[in-house]
Amino acid sequence: MADLVKPSDEVVNNAYIKDYESLYRDSLEHPDGFWENIAKELFWYKPWDKVLVGKHPYYDWFAGGHTNIVANAIDRWQKTDKKNQLALIWEGQDGKVKQYTYQQLNEEVSRAANALKSLGVKKGDHVSIYMPRIPEQTISMLACAKIGAVHSVVYSGFSVQALKSRIEDAECKIAITADGYHFRDKLVETKKTVDDAVKDLSFVKTVVVVKRTGNPVAFTEGRDIWWEDLVSKQDSICSTEMMDSNDPLFILYTSGSTGKPKGVLHAHGGYMVGTYATSKYVFNLQSDDVYWCAADPGWITGHSYIVYAPFINGVTNLIYEGPPDYPDAGKWWSLIEKYKVSKFYTAPTVVRALMKYGDEIPQKYDLSSLKILGSVGEPINPEAWEWYYKIVGKEKCPIMDTWWQTETGMHIITPIPSLPLKPGSACKPFFGIKADVVDEKGNSVPVNTQGYLVLKKPWPAMLKDVYKDPKKYTDLYWGKIPGTYFTGDFAKKDADGYFWILGRNDDVLKVSGYRFGSAELESAFVEHPSVAEAAVIGKPHEVKGESIKAFVILKVGKQPTDELKTELKQLVRKLIGPIATPDEIEFVTALPKTRSGKIMRRVLKAKELGQPLGDTSTLED
Ligand code: PRX
């Protein structure tokens, strides 16, 4: 594969932005002007007084402005012909299809918003959403935003404990869930998980349950209510709450290097402008696009690039409930053919998994509707990139390898369609973004040298704070290299200014694109009565990107058996969720530690991979 993959004339001619370099230069010279021009494309009840104000590291974007992200995602289309365009096409794993025009989506969201109001939910209240990938998941999120409530979505693959700690931290009075869903041929009982999670949380007053499978579920009198009974009787008109640009929109928990997941807080205005701009320019969104981001709305990719940005851009948004290779490995390709998807956005782990089934499978389907492909969540290796480019995109669809995070809210380092691509590189900073690769003192490192990826300017969709933990916000993100936002990723920059993301530098794992902290996994292991201590590392994995390996020290007298390994795997599944199932467990009698007692996971990993151990001067023994 060539080092530089140039876009075709057709791609460049159709692109909104034809000359990345000059606009980028301009956007850095006049960032306020750049973002202001984009914000002006959107609806505001009251325009902002200033584009950016703040006292480092707290920033207010579009300060003084009044808007609501739903006013832009849904309301503004109602007075235009777009109200008759399909906003959302949903297909279930069982083949059931539901479609909503922008007008119908507005009606559904309004009913759900009125339903929440009837339950006493007000502006600023927190609502937990723990749902499978069904339309009501998206509708609930939009309904919360519409009335100014703050959603806290928990991915439906998380377990009781993980859900409970998130509901507890965010003090959600209401939880919305479904009776269950089928993942492949297994029934996942989401309602039961919610029951177990909230049973000791007396502040949870109501649990709303969508009927997805019809499997019998227990109902707690006075607390539980069917979505269908509650929502269908509501009025389909509901006024959208006028929000201050910096009022909170959602909390989304994400794993970090310290034990407990952090509640990342995002606000309406800046997040709206940032996700709108990036999706528009990166995917070159056009009003007749059928856009499919195959993530789950439970993660940041789904929040930004399923639930909000596509609707703000007025495209037709496809959501599919099931996994890529069920009932067969052609399922997702068949959906691209069926719905004539033009923009498709997925994770490298999916590409690698589907690649294993061979070229013949995608070749059986008509994928000619595709125009742009996207990748997110972890580095895409050149082999997978090439397969995606050649076999899926037929060498005519540029691949947008978008680097960003829960915290950044929007794409940060990313190609745009007119930019020549380098397979495996996330390419260049988005407009207005000042990124650099530095050493621990904050000095830029030479080209092609590994360093810390940092951001040197605020950006509109940046997190506002860590919920209830401002110290984490200031210290973990802005305190490591003063004055810059510390991403936690290693990267290098080449002579052409292309960024290459080299993985995390902070004990955060990316397993099939899912983010876990070593410490979070370790605390699950030590819950077991036989375990004295555990250390977890990520190991390179052909399909998943990284796999989870745990080193476990048992308590005196406990036997290291295979049964115990199975028990420990079950325990981690139970405490965090099946997505966190450890791949390997090794019983050991000691762990490498610093003299102050901190486990040196870096040393464990180097040893495991047969690499040089690096600086071991602080090693205790
Ligand atoms: O390590 C980077 C990796 O995913 C991390 C952020 O994870 P999360 O908050 O779960 O958000 C994932 C979806 C935006 C980053 O710190 N990452 C994300 N995108 C890429 C990536 N690594 C390499 N290339 C990417 N395109």
Side-chain angles (χ1 to χ4, degrees):
M1 192 103 212
D3 286 350
L4 205 60
V5 180
K6 295 217 170 104
S8 66
D9 290 348
E10 195 188 340
V11 167
V12 177
N13 289 337
N14 287 331
Y16 284 113
I17 312 280
K18 300 190 173 38
D19 178 2
Y20 166 85
E21 301 297 343
S22 68
L23 182 58
Y24 180 67
R25 261 194 315 275
D26 200 48
S27 73
L28 278 202
E29 273 167 33
H30 311 285
D32 288 8
F34 173 79
W35 290 116
E36 181 158 59
N37 281 337
I38 300 209
K40 280 182 186 160
E41 293 176 24
L42 299 172
F43 168 79
W44 297 77
Y45 298 104
K46 171 184 171 291
W48 50 94
D49 303 321
K50 281 203 90 173
V51 175
L52 179 63
V53 295
K55 196 161 174 290
H56 181 77
Y58 284 95
Y59 293 98
D60 282 349
W61 280 88
F62 306 104
H66 292 166
T67 189
N68 185 310
I69 197 164
V70 173
N72 281 288
I74 299 182
D75 302 1
R76 71 175 171 136
W77 305 123
Q78 303 307 316
K79 290 201 185 89
T80 70
D81 289 346
K82 191 172 288 293
K83 69 174 195 282
N84 299 318
Q85 182 184 323
L86 280 181
L88 176 61
I89 305 175
W90 172 82
E91 186 165 322
Q93 191 187 257
D94 53 2
K96 190 170 174 187
V97 175
K98 285 187 178 179
Q99 300 192 333
Y100 304 80
T101 62
Y102 272 91
Q103 183 177 357
Q104 289 164 332
L105 184 64
N106 180 42
E107 289 166 3
E108 280 309 305
V109 169
S110 297
R111 274 193 204 99
N114 282 326
L116 289 172
K117 279 186 177 174
S118 76
L119 298 174
V121 179
K122 296 184 299 299
K123 180 175 176 176
D125 285 348
H126 295 179
V127 175
S128 174
I129 299 176
Y130 179 72
M131 293 173 102
R133 211 146 56 232
I134 54 177
E136 290 80 359
Q137 181 191 30
T138 296
I139 289 166
S140 304
M141 292 166 73
L142 291 163
C144 286
K146 185 174 173 74
I147 61 170
V150 178
H151 56 71
S152 168
V153 182
V154 180
Y155 175 62
S156 60
F158 276 119
S159 69
V160 174
Q161 290 301 328
L163 175 63
K164 181 179 178 185
S165 68
R166 286 159 174 80
I167 295 179
E168 201 165 17
D169 191 74
E171 296 164 77
C172 300
K173 288 189 215 149
I174 308 266
I176 311 180
T177 189
D179 55 0
Y181 67 101
H182 284 98
F183 180 73
R184 304 180 193 278
D185 46 12
K186 188 173 166 269
L187 173 68
V188 183
E189 297 181 275
T190 31
K191 169 66 165 65
K192 191 167 181 304
T193 305
V194 172
D195 286 342
D196 293 344
V198 306
K199 73 172 185 285
D200 301 324
L201 305 180
S202 57
F203 55 84
V204 179
K205 298 291 176 221
T206 312
V207 176
V208 183
V209 191
V210 175
K211 212 170 264 172
R212 169 67 186 111
T213 60
N215 70 298
V217 293
F219 244 59
T220 300
E221 199 59 42
R223 187 198 70 186
D224 298 351
I225 181 163
W226 288 108
W227 169 283
E228 289 73 12
D229 294 343
L230 174 72
V231 174
S232 62
K233 64 176 188 225
Q234 304 293 332
D235 201 299
S236 63
I237 298 172
C238 174
S239 64
T240 300
E241 189 76 31
M242 187 167 75
M243 305 297 285
D244 186 282
S245 173
N246 287 281
D247 277 341
L249 169 63
F250 65 83
I251 301 169
L252 182 57
Y253 288 86
T254 191
S255 302
S257 41
T258 51
K260 260 179 71 177
K262 300 183 284 269
V264 171
L265 187 69
H266 282 285
H268 276 256
Y271 176 82
M272 170 178 91
V273 173
T275 54
Y276 165 68
T278 46
S279 57
K280 175 173 173 176
Y281 293 138
V282 172
F283 293 112
N284 207 46
L285 290 183
Q286 310 290 328
S287 126
D288 59 354
D289 267 326
V290 179
Y291 166 95
W292 182 19
C293 168
D296 189 285
W299 304 105
I300 191 65
T301 303
H303 278 57
S304 299
Y305 297 110
I306 297 178
V307 175
Y308 292 113
F311 297 131
I312 303 175
N313 279 277
V315 302
T316 298
N317 200 358
L318 173 67
I319 297 182
Y320 174 64
E321 189 187 29
D325 54 354
Y326 181 90
D328 59 69
K331 185 64 214 183
W332 280 17
W333 311 130
S334 78
L335 292 166
I336 293 177
E337 175 180 288
K338 178 172 176 187
Y339 294 109
K340 300 195 171 36
V341 172
S342 50
K343 311 286 160 76
F344 176 61
Y345 191 24
T346 190
T349 192
V350 171
V351 176
R352 288 189 294 261
L354 293 177
M355 189 169 113
K356 279 188 156 290
Y357 291 102
D359 303 355
E360 320 74 72
I361 312 263
Q363 277 161 352
K364 277 199 262 177
Y365 298 91
D366 178 5
L367 305 180
S368 61
S369 55
L370 288 171
K371 291 190 175 135
I372 291 176
L373 300 172
S375 173
V376 59
E378 32 162 352
I380 178 161
N381 48 310
E383 200 194 355
W385 195 101
E386 198 173 320
W387 187 82
Y388 198 26
Y389 186 69
K390 286 191 175 156
I391 306 298
V392 181
K394 316 288 185 229
E395 301 191 46
K396 67 178 179 62
C397 306
I399 296 179
M400 302 296 106
D401 176 2
T402 60
W403 179 92
W404 58 295
Q405 310 177 300
T406 304
E407 294 87 338
T408 69
M410 65 184 229
H411 303 149
I412 294 289
I413 314 261
T414 176
I416 56 167
S418 58
L419 193 73
L421 303 170
K422 296 192 183 191
S425 163
C427 295
K428 299 210 172 187
F430 190 74
F431 308 108
I433 300 287
K434 195 163 179 213
D436 199 4
V437 181
V438 301
D439 62 21
E440 55 278 6
K441 293 204 179 72
N443 301 313
S444 304
V445 298
V447 290
N448 291 323
T449 308
Q450 173 171 311
Y452 301 104
L453 177 64
V454 296
L455 306 179
K456 293 187 158 171
K457 260 182 188 304
W459 63 98
M462 62 194 285
L463 73 165
K464 291 292 295 177
D465 209 342
V466 173
Y467 183 62
K468 283 187 181 164
D469 206 342
K471 194 163 158 44
K472 275 203 175 140
Y473 174 73
T474 49
D475 294 3
L476 296 179
Y477 297 113
W478 297 97
K480 296 226 166 124
I481 297 175
T484 68
Y485 170 84
F486 191 79
T487 65
D489 278 43
F490 280 128
K492 65 179 183 184
K493 197 159 98 170
D494 70 17
D496 301 323
Y498 280 64
F499 285 75
W500 299 77
I501 310 296
L502 303 171
R504 300 284 308 191
N505 56 45
D506 63 349
D507 295 323
V508 166
L509 280 62
K510 278 275 148 154
V511 183
S512 300
Y514 300 125
R515 178 169 159 178
F516 300 106
S518 293
E520 179 191 5
L521 294 159
E522 288 157 5
S523 23
F525 277 98
V526 298
E527 289 280 310
H528 194 281
S530 301
V531 174
E533 230 179 326
V536 168
I537 60 162
K539 274 176 76 172
H541 185 280
E542 216 190 326
V543 174
K544 301 203 280 187
E546 276 191 298
S547 63
I548 300 173
K549 167 141 193 190
F551 298 87
V552 173
I553 302 182
L554 293 178
K555 287 188 179 153
V556 179
K558 301 293 175 188
Q559 293 310 310
T561 60
D562 282 347
E563 290 73 51
L564 183 54
K565 279 189 187 172
T566 310
E567 242 178 72
L568 290 173
K569 284 188 186 179
Q570 289 301 340
L571 179 70
V572 179
R573 285 173 72 92
K574 185 169 155 248
L575 293 179
I576 302 177
I579 50 173
T581 310
D583 297 85
E584 273 179 87
I585 297 175
E586 185 178 329
F587 294 115
V588 294
T589 49
L591 290 167
K593 286 192 183 158
T594 61
R595 268 171 232 117
S596 57
K598 253 185 88 185
I599 297 171
M600 293 181 83
R601 302 185 188 98
R602 176 179 64 74
V603 171
L604 269 176
K605 185 164 175 169
K607 195 158 173 280
E608 178 72 20
L609 303 181
Q611 291 169 347
L613 296 188
D615 180 8
T616 52
S617 55
T618 55
L619 195 62
E620 175 194 39
D621 183 0

